[in-house]
Amino acid sequence: MNKPNLIISGASGHAKVVIDIIEAIGNYQIVGLLDPFKKVGSYFGKYKILGSEKELIQIANKESVTHFFVALGDNWKRQNITNLILQLLPNATLINAIHPKSIIAKDVALGYGNALMAGSIVNTGSKIGNGCIINTGSTLDHDGIMENFSSLAPGVVTGGNVHLGLCTAVSIGATVLHNIKIGNHCIIGAGSLVNKSISDELVAYGIPAKIVRKHTIGEPYL
């Protein structure tokens, strides 16, 4: 059986991890990458840079591609590129990249465009939206909710019934206690301990995590 052709948007360290997952899954044929900051025809590893999302329709037609994955680590940028792909190609399929050594409970609700890295664990009753990242060795415990384009960095631990808002990022090694809700467009600093709920558009870090300032939507954080 022929594998569907796949284009990956992004050519960075995060994309390298996603490529490794997709190769391990073995269900798709990667035909190339999209990246506006790299020269068309150059290579990222063994895959060619085909152009940018601006030429998406022409590239997709030329390469006979209907399947895509957006491999951008920044939540806001990943949301924008995902929306652009679906606007230009309404029938596009956004796949999930789920490492074979991740563990996902059988009743987990999972959207599209998600990346689950090696060693990640998603426990029973959890709901994951679209375009989320659950990074290496991070855990979403029972009945957790990740809204669209939210992310857990490597080594994050969450208790049960944790709710992460739209585009919210929990950074490396942070811990979020049971029953905590973190609002939309928040950034939780590396190594933090979140023991109280946090409202929208805030940056918080420390042990315990304290709010340090507002987070401007779209502001780079990686």
Side-chain angles (χ1 to χ4, degrees):
M1 180 183 294
N2 292 331
K3 300 176 183 179
N5 287 339
L6 174 74
I7 287 177
I8 294 174
S9 177
S12 63
H14 179 66
K16 289 176 68 175
V17 179
V18 168
I19 289 169
D20 181 69
I21 293 171
I22 291 171
E23 289 178 339
I25 296 169
N27 292 338
Y28 303 95
Q29 179 63 48
I30 301 172
V31 299
L33 312 178
L34 302 176
D35 194 304
F37 303 106
K38 290 185 167 55
K39 184 179 178 181
V40 175
S42 64
Y43 280 81
F44 182 77
K46 63 182 180 181
Y47 297 108
K48 185 181 289 188
I49 304 297
L50 303 174
S52 73
E53 290 79 13
K54 292 181 180 180
E55 300 87 38
L56 180 63
I57 294 175
Q58 297 91 326
I59 293 170
N61 289 336
K62 179 181 178 182
E63 303 292 340
S64 300
V65 172
T66 58
H67 290 66
F68 299 87
F69 191 89
V70 180
L72 301 175
D74 183 285
N75 293 343
W76 176 251
K77 293 178 181 177
R78 189 168 64 260
Q79 176 185 243
N80 290 344
I81 294 300
T82 298
N83 290 342
L84 177 61
I85 290 172
L86 293 174
Q87 177 184 346
L88 294 174
L89 298 172
N91 294 322
T93 298
L94 278 297
I95 72 162
N96 288 313
I98 301 174
H99 196 282
K101 292 188 177 180
S102 62
I103 299 173
I104 307 173
K106 61 184 178 182
D107 64 344
V108 169
L110 189 65
Y112 60 77
N114 298 295
L116 278 69
M117 311 310 194
S120 61
I121 299 173
V122 183
N123 276 329
T124 185
S126 293
K127 298 178 181 179
I128 300 170
N130 304 321
C132 297
I133 299 172
I134 303 181
N135 223 310
T136 310
S138 58
T139 62
L140 183 67
D141 212 342
H142 68 86
D143 302 297
I145 296 175
M146 294 181 68
E147 301 288 356
N148 294 345
F149 305 102
S150 59
S151 62
L152 302 178
V156 169
V157 175
T158 73
N161 295 290
V162 165
H163 187 150
L164 302 182
L166 172 71
C167 287
T168 281
V170 183
S171 301
I172 290 176
T175 299
V176 183
L177 298 187
H178 194 80
N179 291 324
I180 296 295
K181 182 174 182 179
I182 302 175
N184 300 329
H185 301 283
C186 288
I187 307 297
I188 306 301
S192 297
L193 172 63
V194 183
N195 64 352
K196 294 181 180 179
S197 293
I198 296 172
S199 58
D200 296 342
E201 299 170 35
L202 295 172
V203 176
Y205 55 79
I207 302 176
K210 297 183 182 299
I211 296 167
V212 294
R213 64 178 177 87
K214 292 284 288 182
H215 174 68
T216 302
I217 294 176
E219 173 190 359
Y221 61 92
L222 293 177

